Amino acid sequence: MKYFIVLTPLLLLACNKGPSVDVQNASVEDVAAKAKAALKIEPGLWTSNTEILSIEMPGIKDKAIAAQITNSMKGAKNPEFTHCVTAAEAEKPSSEMFASKANGQCKYNNFQMANGRIDATMTCTPQGGVMKMAMNGTYSSTAYDMTMKMVTSNAQMPGGGMSMKAHTKGVRTGVCKA
């Protein structure tokens, strides 16, 4: 799940004046190929962070344990993630920016990106479970801001599943250090 929270916002880094993307029932790789055509990232130092807004684990009957798990996840420090995007990466982003580790386990139900907005829903089937994610937010060549809601059901998880809402944002903060 962390993979999607960290990497999915990179889809937002397209120039809002460029081509739009509007696809349904598409693989992560197909969306990546289409989004790459619209991707216009400013090279430089990027900083992002993700905040867990809410977590619900209705399948855990012991409310004290559910509260402990929820508080632990929500209370975890959300450090800033800093990454240098080189001019070459900005000019020709790798498809792995969008699709690494997806391994065919995820599919976009819909993906729309245009005019500084993104709206998407995705379904993944990792390790015998199902995760449905809805994402919406804004983007430009120097910043992004997105809210994600994930609902997971998996017999291997405590309580059989959970739902989580998170907010992530990133901004180009300057030039890369040598």
Side-chain angles (χ1 to χ4, degrees):
M1 200 171 332
K2 280 185 179 181
Y3 162 76
F4 292 106
I5 292 173
V6 173
L7 292 182
T8 301
L10 294 176
L11 294 171
L12 296 173
L13 302 178
C15 177
N16 62 10
K17 305 252 189 281
S20 64
V21 179
D22 187 355
V23 295
Q24 284 76 42
N25 199 27
S27 71
V28 172
E29 294 79 8
D30 289 343
V31 169
K34 290 181 184 344
K36 277 175 57 172
L39 191 66
K40 302 293 179 213
I41 302 171
E42 291 288 326
L45 195 61
W46 282 79
T47 302
S48 65
N49 70 358
T50 299
E51 177 185 6
I52 306 298
L53 301 174
S54 65
I55 299 171
E56 296 177 15
M57 303 180 83
I60 296 180
K61 302 301 180 206
D62 185 330
K63 298 304 176 197
I65 291 175
Q68 182 180 12
I69 294 169
T70 298
N71 291 336
S72 172
M73 291 177 78
K74 280 182 72 176
K77 297 287 184 210
N78 297 311
E80 288 186 341
F81 174 75
T82 301
H83 176 71
C84 176
V85 175
T86 67
E89 289 170 327
E91 181 66 30
K92 201 168 195 177
S94 165
S95 64
E96 278 137 25
M97 179 180 282
F98 303 98
S100 68
K101 299 183 185 179
N103 299 327
Q105 295 178 338
C106 297
K107 189 165 213 154
Y108 279 97
N109 303 26
N110 69 291
F111 183 93
Q112 286 106 16
M113 180 174 79
N115 301 319
R117 295 228 21 103
I118 185 168
D119 290 293
T121 58
M122 172 188 280
T123 300
C124 301
T125 53
Q127 302 173 359
V130 175
M131 180 184 74
K132 295 185 182 226
M133 183 184 324
M135 301 162 273
N136 61 65
T138 59
Y139 64 86
S140 73
S141 63
T142 59
Y144 61 87
D145 190 311
M146 182 170 59
T147 300
M148 299 167 287
K149 182 173 183 177
M150 294 158 274
V151 178
T152 304
S153 60
N154 189 322
Q156 298 174 19
M157 291 180 69
M162 64 181 271
S163 65
M164 177 170 60
K165 188 173 182 182
H167 178 246
T168 189
K169 60 184 174 179
V171 65
R172 183 184 180 279
T173 57
V175 296
C176 298
K177 298 176 181 154

